[in-house]
Amino acid sequence: MGRISLLFAGVGSIIGSGWLFGALNAARLAGPSSVFSWAIAAVMIILIGLCFAELGTMFPVSGGVVRFPHLSFGSFASFTMGWITWIAAATVAPIEVEGALQYGTKWAHFTDAHADTGTHTLTGLGYGVAVVAMAFFVALNYFGIRWFARVNNVLVWWKLLVIVGVIVAFFVTAFHGHNFSAKEYGGFAPGGAKGIFTAISTAGITFSFLGFRQGVELAGETDNPKRNVPFAIIGSVALTAVIYVLLELAFIGAVPGHFLDSSHGWLNLTFTNDFGPLAAISSAIGLGWLAYVLYVDAVISPADTGLIYTTVTGRISYAMARNKNAPAALAKTTRRGAPLVSLIVTFVVGLIVFLPFPSWQQLVGFITSATVLSFGSGPIVLAAMRRQIPDQPRPFKVPGGDIIPFLALYSANLIVYWAGWNTNWKLFATIGIGFVFLAAFQIFDKGQAPKLDWKAGVTWVLPWLAGLAIISWVGDYDGGQGYIGLGWGFVVNLVLAAIVYFLALRVPLPQARVLEHIEEARAEARVEEEELGASH
């Protein structure tokens, strides 16, 4: 893959269903100040992405997000982060399906509206179509992913043209500057600072940036990792950040005044056909043609991203099996090079996810917390490796010593915290299920199960997870007990980040073990490319 292809892989993953709903959801939480939510989220994600840019150029192997913790901290850390990463990736295809079906409610009864929560949940018909869509993702991965890879760049151009078209059309046709400061609508920041930060985690904003991982996952498949990986990671986030901020500005300015009057301001904004908010606004301002384009794009954009993540999820479970952190059956491939068992497991888990999360809005916070938590290990691994293998060639090095890695970990903590307890308890319960699987794997498959490296992993992983769970429970975001408010939330998460950072740097594996793991990872990556290469 060349520089532009790798960049477009990231952009293609970033631009999924998030932008179709994020503008309205953010406005409902923060009003016009939601433009700051997009900008802050972009900075936080770039901090995390910079850490992976250094790691990805040091070790340009596929599936790096799963492999990196194993190199520095051994199997317990890599299993935990791998499990969280896999869960996060496995739930992306379902949310993309939900996003497409929510917009599709214009044509059939796929979702039901719930005025009290502002969500649209799947109906019986919606569930049926969702099953077919998930099966389609798996089938295409099995039979024709090569064909898809060829047309992905075309799909990315389509996505970019549609978004830019919406921005230009909204600015030119109906831009009401009054919307940004009108007191009768709640002013510039009707949700206050809390609304700005809550939107980052729960409105689909951070979710809309998470596809930058493709620059890491595909680092082993690019022709010049030193140049291409940082370009793809930072470039994809920066490019989409500009687009998303402009989209939010255009949306805020385009909302008709009578919508805001009838809703009594931004925080309760509702209007006819708001299951497809951008299309509904397009129709309301006389751009019916654009509404139809958006209804078409609401199938194409999520389908593209859902398909990419079905591929990624299969590769993650494959990589975990190759690392001996999952049953060996997950690493079996067909003659086509498809990890069939992994794909089937991805399909089944996707169907299960629809049950507790039958709407896009309900699932987006879970995916955001899970994915950001899995990324949170990257800054720690980077800091540890600078001490474990200081002489290892680093084609791209993040400047500033420990400053950016620490800020990246702190950013991950905050994003998880802002998602709120009602979302996070489900995440931590899911992590607990993963530990049950790990225990069963250790007991029943002793020949396959690796040494867990308890000290190097448990010492910082469990305090980190437990600390986040406690802080989330005592916080005042979505279901928390409210013992700590907005300001103390920043302080407590800063303290937790410092403790975890300190603990992790006290217990990493010795240099000899790290070098051994690096050679194993490179060998495994070569085998993976040979076995999976036929399907890509």
Side-chain angles (χ1 to χ4, degrees):
M1 298 181 70
R3 179 167 57 172
I4 299 302
S5 292
L6 196 63
L7 172 69
F8 270 37
V11 173
S13 291
I14 288 174
I15 303 175
S17 61
W19 76 278
L20 294 168
F21 303 100
L24 172 61
N25 291 335
R28 283 172 169 168
L29 289 166
S33 64
S34 54
V35 294
F36 291 132
S37 302
W38 290 98
I40 294 168
V43 172
M44 298 173 90
I45 293 298
I46 285 177
L47 288 171
I48 296 171
L50 283 168
C51 297
F52 281 101
E54 180 170 328
L55 291 170
T57 52
M58 286 174 67
F59 308 108
V61 296
S62 297
V65 176
V66 176
R67 297 185 189 275
F68 295 149
H70 185 78
L71 302 182
S72 282
F73 295 100
S75 290
F76 180 82
S78 67
F79 170 84
T80 305
M81 294 303 120
W83 170 254
I84 297 170
T85 302
W86 185 80
I87 287 295
T91 48
V92 171
I95 198 175
E96 299 299 338
V97 170
E98 288 177 341
L101 290 176
Q102 185 169 321
Y103 262 75
T105 301
K106 173 74 173 177
W107 314 112
H109 188 207
F110 294 132
T111 64
D112 281 326
H114 300 272
D116 55 332
T117 60
T119 61
H120 295 261
T121 57
L122 293 175
T123 62
L125 175 63
Y127 275 115
V129 176
V131 172
V132 174
M134 291 292 294
F136 171 75
F137 289 158
V138 171
L140 195 55
N141 266 275
Y142 180 72
F143 289 109
I145 197 66
R146 262 186 175 180
W147 171 84
F148 168 75
R150 294 191 188 104
V151 302
N152 187 53
N153 281 7
V154 176
L155 293 177
V156 174
W157 276 114
W158 160 267
K159 292 179 179 184
L160 289 172
L161 286 173
V162 172
I163 295 179
V164 172
V166 171
I167 293 170
V168 173
F170 280 13
F171 271 121
V172 171
T173 305
F175 187 80
H176 310 292
H178 180 68
N179 288 358
F180 286 84
S181 58
K183 291 183 178 179
E184 64 268 30
Y185 303 151
F188 180 71
K194 184 176 180 181
I196 293 173
F197 296 123
T198 302
I200 289 173
S201 295
T202 63
I205 291 178
T206 300
F207 171 75
S208 296
F209 287 114
L210 296 179
F212 82 86
R213 66 183 296 155
Q214 298 308 319
V216 181
E217 299 291 353
L218 301 174
E221 300 176 30
T222 185
D223 56 1
N224 188 340
K226 176 181 179 179
R227 179 193 66 180
N228 297 349
V229 172
F231 177 80
I233 292 174
I234 300 167
S236 62
V237 177
L239 174 63
T240 52
V242 172
I243 292 172
Y244 287 151
V245 169
L246 289 174
L247 178 65
E248 189 71 35
L249 287 169
F251 176 83
I252 295 292
V255 175
H258 64 275
F259 283 1
L260 289 162
D261 290 332
S262 61
S263 303
H264 306 292
W266 290 108
L267 300 186
N268 299 299
L269 180 60
T270 56
F271 43 86
T272 303
N273 293 337
D274 63 0
F275 52 78
L278 296 180
I281 295 295
S282 298
S283 296
I285 61 177
L287 299 175
W289 63 270
L290 182 59
Y292 279 100
V293 170
L294 283 163
Y295 284 123
V296 172
D297 183 69
V299 175
I300 294 176
S301 284
D304 179 36
T305 302
L307 190 56
I308 290 171
Y309 270 91
T310 301
T311 307
V312 168
T313 307
R315 290 177 75 103
I316 290 171
S317 53
Y318 172 95
M320 289 181 68
R322 298 296 307 187
N323 280 346
K324 300 182 178 180
N325 279 328
L330 293 173
K332 292 182 179 179
T333 58
T334 67
R335 286 181 298 175
R336 295 175 178 271
L340 182 58
V341 177
S342 291
L343 288 172
I344 292 172
V345 171
T346 300
F347 171 71
V348 172
V349 169
L351 300 188
I352 294 172
V353 165
F354 289 130
L355 298 177
F357 300 106
S359 78
W360 191 94
Q361 186 65 42
Q362 291 171 335
L363 186 51
V364 69
F366 178 89
I367 294 177
T368 297
S369 287
T371 308
V372 170
L373 191 59
S374 69
F375 289 158
S377 63
I380 294 175
V381 172
L382 176 61
M385 280 193 173
R386 286 178 172 179
R387 292 157 172 83
Q388 291 167 309
I389 45 174
D391 298 326
Q392 183 78 19
R394 287 169 169 79
F396 171 81
K397 186 170 183 178
V398 179
D402 285 315
I403 294 175
I404 289 178
F406 180 77
L407 290 177
L409 175 62
Y410 182 42
S411 296
N413 284 5
L414 287 172
I415 292 171
V416 173
Y417 172 65
W418 293 331
W421 177 245
N422 283 338
T423 293
N424 288 336
W425 79 260
K426 298 167 188 171
L427 171 60
F428 292 116
T430 303
I431 295 172
I433 293 171
F435 288 145
V436 173
F437 285 152
L438 176 62
F441 189 52
Q442 288 287 319
I443 294 171
F444 296 111
D445 199 357
K446 293 183 179 179
Q448 170 82 356
K451 179 182 177 183
L452 285 180
D453 299 302
W454 289 103
K455 181 180 178 182
V458 172
T459 302
W460 64 273
V461 171
L462 290 188
W464 185 32
L465 298 178
L468 284 173
I470 292 170
I471 292 171
S472 182
W473 181 72
V474 301
D476 63 346
Y477 285 83
D478 191 21
Q481 297 300 303
Y483 297 137
I484 58 175
L486 177 68
W488 280 108
F490 281 100
V491 174
V492 173
N493 277 287
L494 181 67
V495 171
L496 176 64
I499 292 172
V500 171
Y501 203 83
F502 172 77
L503 289 175
L505 295 184
R506 292 290 298 272
V507 295
L509 297 174
Q511 185 182 77
R513 285 288 305 283
V514 175
L515 295 174
E516 179 183 328
H517 284 168
I518 290 171
E519 288 307 311
E520 290 173 355
R522 285 173 173 159
E524 293 291 346
R526 285 193 292 270
V527 172
E528 178 178 341
E529 289 310 307
E530 290 173 5
E531 293 186 353
L532 297 183
S535 65
H536 290 272

